[in-house]
């Protein structure tokens, strides 16, 4: 943004300090809820309706929502991820998370792997096909 004297001015968006919550628009709420609560063990913090539930993850809220008045977009086609979430853990927990996912019958897209950029990563999908990552800095 530039003012009349061609000097840069601060954007009001520079006031943003964090992502407060993330919303995943779901196709199958029951399956997604079983996955995020039962497999990942995320604590449910509130259920505003059958179409909106929230989990607390650190200082952030992850919401699962059915598209409604706030989103008139067409559903994401099956087999297409609409987002990727990366969950940060301690290095020793990446492998423990992989073991827990396998115990619950979740297919791993990529098992725990040390990446050349200094992360140990694990990739898998939720029931709606969204790409999820558990990683640690190594």
């Amino acid at each position: 943004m530039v003012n009349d004297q061609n000097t840069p001015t601060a954007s009001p968006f520079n006031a943003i300090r964090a992502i407060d919550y993330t919303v995943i628009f779901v196709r199958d709420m029951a399956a997604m809820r079983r996955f995020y609560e039962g497999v990942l063990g995320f604590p449910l913090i509130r259920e505003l309706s059958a179409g909106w539930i929230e989990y607390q993850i650190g200082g952030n809220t992850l919401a699962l929502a059915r598209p409604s008045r706030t989103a008139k977009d067409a559903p994401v086609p099956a087999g297409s991820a609409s987002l990727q979430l990366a969950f940060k853990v301690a290095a020793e927990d990446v492998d423990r998370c992989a073991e827990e996912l396998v115990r619950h019958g979740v297919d791993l897209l990529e098992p725990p792997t040390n990446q050349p950029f200094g992360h140990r990563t694990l990739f898998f999908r939720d029931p709606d096909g969204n790409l999820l990552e558990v990683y640690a800095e190594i």
Side-chain angles (χ1 to χ4, degrees):
M1 195 181 219
V2 180
N3 66 16
D4 291 338
Q5 290 80 28
N6 291 326
T7 350
T9 57
S11 166
F13 294 103
N14 289 342
I16 296 172
R17 296 293 174 252
I19 294 175
D20 185 53
Y21 64 91
T22 300
V23 179
I24 300 174
F25 292 117
V26 302
R27 289 186 285 273
D28 185 339
M29 181 64 86
M32 292 286 278
R33 186 169 186 167
R34 282 191 303 273
F35 182 80
Y36 282 91
E37 290 176 34
V39 176
L40 300 186
F42 289 170
L44 179 68
I45 58 170
R46 68 180 175 168
E47 184 172 350
L48 298 178
S49 70
W52 184 282
I53 58 176
E54 297 177 353
Y55 303 99
Q56 192 67 44
I57 304 169
N60 296 291
T61 300
L62 176 66
L64 301 182
R66 286 194 181 103
S68 64
R69 69 179 181 273
T70 60
K72 298 291 186 193
D73 293 349
V76 176
S80 300
S82 59
L83 61 83
Q84 175 179 335
L85 296 175
F87 302 106
K88 187 175 182 180
V89 299
E92 62 273 11
D93 291 329
V94 174
D95 291 79
R96 292 179 55 228
C97 289
E99 292 165 7
E100 184 71 5
L101 290 167
V102 169
R103 189 174 75 72
H104 282 281
V106 176
D107 292 329
L108 304 182
L109 296 176
E110 181 182 286
T113 304
N114 289 341
Q115 303 293 345
F117 48 84
H119 285 180
R120 183 160 181 79
T121 60
L122 158 66
F123 289 94
F124 55 102
R125 291 191 187 278
D126 70 16
D128 268 4
N130 296 304
L131 185 60
L132 304 180
E133 174 186 4
V134 170
Y135 82 97
E137 294 177 358
I138 53 171

